[in-house]
Amino acid sequence: MAACHRTVFMTWRNTSSTLHHTRKYSAPVDGSVPAAKQKYIPRSGSYPKGFLVSGIHVGVKASNKTMPDLTLISSEVPASAAAVFTKNKFQAAPVTVSRETLQKRSGQGLRAIIVNSGCANAVTGKGGFEDAMSMATAVDEHYPKDTDSANRTLVMSTGVIGQRLPTDKIISAVPQAFKSLDNTHQSWLNIARAICTTDTFPKLLSTTFTLPSSPGTAYSLAGITKGAGMIHPNMATLLGILCTDVPIAASTLQALLTNAVDRSFNAISIDGDTSTNDTVALLANGAAGGRPINSPKSEDGIVMQKILTNFTQQLSQLVVRDGEGATKFVQIRVVNSPTFADARLIASTIARSPLVKCALYGKDANWGRILCAIGYTQGLSQDAVIPAQTSVSFVPADGSQPLKLLVNGEPESVDETRASQILEEEDLEILVDLGMGEGREHEASYWTCDLSHEYVTINGDYRT
């Protein structure tokens, strides 16, 4: 999403004077990062072999005079590709183009991803589809032709809905994007910044690991993501790009990504809204060598799944930490459930409850709102929730003793002073124990944030 830097004057009147309160509430146009968010920006990284990236300024939005807004990710060799897309009925042109590209190529032989911020190219009709295609074609022309006529470039866009892209401006900048390709930490940080809209900080992670079949080979996985509002499955409303130098067959790659996204990007919520452009894509070029992973059930496939799921959880949680107007990062964990699906539904319902989120913002230990959300969760299996077996606790981020609010359906005498102390912290876990047990100890987690005055301010005049 895109927003401009504004100053809001809020006026209160009393018997003696008129007071003015100034508040800067959206991402600074100069790219500066709020002090509280700087700790989430990595100072170094380990990036996958065979990938080159660049983030340059194009000026997709006329108001953007200096910040990078065009991202190019290029694989030096053909790569396997997989993606998960939004389920919104009004799907943006780049979503349609990228999905068709993957289908036509069966996820094989991809070379690049191009992303613009500042304009979503959504609900733009036939012209928008042609614009997305022309972006892909402009990138494809920089690679040797292969026997398949389908595009080899995935396209993503993010920004305001209902506006046409300045396609000529973007296409004319593609040669410069290629000239700027590099594999430095700064280059990866640039592309993380170039996909931002209302984000207050660039979201970038990287990691190294080994696989059972190649213990002497160091593999790398890197990822960027963006999003701060309109966040809720399915997809979570955002863009995400991951790259790895592990050799993975396309069909296996899709299975690994879908499973990981289900437990990460599809397990976060800021405001319960989903958008038109959501895409998470994964490229695997095999540049580090080793035995290809041809099945998610192989030894390497099982290990890779754990690594990818953990990585995407960390990456997606950065989106929640940057939620529009958010002051808290909240994990909702539901345990001892009869099924994973039940646990997930309950966690999701709590995460999108406006009353729960407002109470968290107000530092109010109003556990009754949590209990109500559990009770009205739709689609649960029979007897998934038995009130006399349900417990709710606040778990402090410092690892100290949980504060029990409800135990087996009976309210606890809450220490309001300790509750206030826990709710003063930025991080918090809400633990819901359904008390099933007996082989039904399924659990699921969701990550969300609070709902503040600031969120309303940002979205009240977002387009204008």
Side-chain angles (χ1 to χ4, degrees):
M1 297 180 66
C4 54
H5 193 209
R6 303 175 186 267
T7 300
V8 176
F9 291 91
M10 304 180 65
T11 302
W12 296 268
R13 297 185 182 275
N14 58 25
T15 56
S16 59
S17 64
T18 298
L19 303 176
H20 293 277
H21 174 67
T22 302
R23 178 167 63 187
K24 297 178 179 179
Y25 60 78
S26 58
V29 294
D30 62 358
S32 60
V33 177
K37 303 295 179 66
Q38 291 178 5
K39 61 188 175 183
Y40 301 120
I41 302 177
R43 298 183 180 275
S44 62
S46 300
Y47 301 104
K49 301 176 182 66
F51 284 101
L52 300 172
V53 302
S54 67
I56 65 171
H57 171 259
V58 173
V60 174
K61 286 188 69 175
S63 59
N64 177 16
K65 303 300 183 182
T66 60
M67 296 303 298
D69 55 358
L70 186 68
T71 285
L72 177 63
I73 297 175
S74 175
S75 177
E76 295 180 306
V77 296
S80 297
V84 178
F85 300 100
T86 179
K87 293 185 179 180
N88 194 297
K89 296 297 183 183
F90 291 94
Q91 297 189 351
V95 170
T96 300
V97 168
S98 293
R99 179 186 286 110
E100 290 182 356
T101 296
L102 286 174
Q103 290 173 346
K104 289 177 181 178
R105 300 194 69 96
S106 299
Q108 302 176 56
L110 276 292
R111 295 300 299 267
I113 299 176
I114 186 169
V115 191
N116 76 271
S117 62
C119 177
N121 191 13
V123 197
T124 46
K126 182 179 178 181
F129 181 84
E130 293 171 348
D131 290 341
M133 284 292 295
S134 64
M135 286 175 63
T137 300
V139 174
D140 283 350
E141 290 174 351
H142 289 260
Y143 299 103
K145 294 186 180 300
D146 65 5
T147 57
D148 195 321
S149 61
N151 288 338
R152 288 167 289 172
T153 300
L154 301 182
V155 184
M156 301 182 191
S157 297
T158 181
V160 177
I161 294 170
Q163 299 179 359
R164 289 287 297 275
L165 284 171
T167 312
D168 291 343
K169 186 184 291 187
I170 292 173
I171 291 175
S172 64
V174 169
Q176 179 58 42
F178 270 91
K179 290 179 182 178
S180 302
L181 288 171
D182 208 338
N183 195 32
T184 65
H185 173 68
Q186 186 59 50
S187 295
W188 281 88
L189 201 57
N190 286 345
I191 67 169
R193 167 57 72 185
I195 65 174
C196 288
T197 51
T198 58
D199 306 64
T200 65
F201 68 94
K203 300 165 184 63
L204 166 67
L205 288 178
S206 64
T207 188
T208 59
F209 55 92
T210 60
L211 293 172
S213 67
S214 305
T217 301
Y219 294 107
S220 296
L221 172 64
I224 61 172
T225 190
K226 63 83 52 184
M230 289 184 76
I231 304 291
H232 190 75
N234 280 307
M235 274 286 298
T237 309
L238 44 75
L239 299 182
I241 304 168
L242 302 103
C243 299
T244 184
D245 48 20
V246 178
I248 309 175
S251 59
T252 298
L253 194 69
Q254 185 64 59
L256 294 174
L257 180 63
T258 299
N259 188 284
V261 164
D262 195 42
R263 288 159 175 76
S264 57
F265 288 106
N266 271 344
I268 62 175
S269 183
I270 286 176
D271 47 21
D273 265 329
T274 61
S275 184
T276 54
N277 291 57
D278 314 343
T279 305
V280 172
L282 170 59
L283 297 180
N285 66 6
R291 182 186 303 172
I293 301 178
N294 294 315
S295 170
K297 296 181 179 180
S298 67
E299 187 177 17
D300 281 353
I302 292 171
V303 172
M304 188 70 213
Q305 183 69 82
K306 292 179 180 179
I307 293 167
L308 184 61
T309 300
N310 180 65
F311 186 85
T312 54
Q313 285 179 344
Q314 293 181 55
L315 191 62
S316 65
Q317 287 169 25
L318 292 177
V319 174
V320 179
R321 291 191 179 280
D322 202 19
E324 289 174 344
T327 68
K328 294 194 180 304
F329 174 85
V330 184
Q331 176 175 349
I332 300 167
R333 191 159 64 98
V334 179
V335 301
N336 292 320
S337 169
T339 68
F340 170 77
D342 288 329
R344 180 182 172 84
L345 282 171
I346 290 170
S348 172
T349 303
I350 297 170
R352 68 176 183 267
S353 165
L355 290 178
V356 170
K357 293 160 78 68
C358 287
L360 291 168
Y361 173 63
K363 304 178 180 64
D364 180 10
N366 193 340
W367 56 266
R369 293 179 175 180
I370 300 170
L371 208 64
C372 284
I374 298 170
Y376 66 64
T377 301
Q378 299 294 307
L380 295 176
S381 61
Q382 188 174 5
D383 296 327
V385 176
I386 299 174
Q389 295 178 200
T390 302
S391 301
V392 177
S393 302
F394 284 160
V395 181
D398 61 10
S400 59
Q401 189 71 20
L403 178 63
K404 296 180 180 180
L405 307 172
L406 184 79
V407 177
N408 293 327
E410 296 289 338
E412 294 289 289
S413 177
V414 178
D415 183 339
E416 295 293 345
T417 300
R418 183 154 185 265
S420 296
Q421 292 172 344
I422 293 173
L423 290 169
E424 280 288 340
E425 299 300 317
E426 179 181 350
D427 287 22
L428 168 71
E429 178 183 307
I430 296 174
L431 176 63
V432 177
D433 188 338
L434 298 181
M436 295 299 177
E438 297 180 1
R440 298 188 292 177
E441 300 90 349
H442 298 277
E443 70 172 80
S445 290
Y446 235 77
W447 295 273
T448 191
C449 58
D450 54 353
L451 186 61
S452 69
H453 301 90
E454 203 85 344
Y455 176 86
V456 177
T457 304
I458 292 171
N459 286 282
D461 62 358
Y462 167 72
R463 190 177 66 85
T464 55

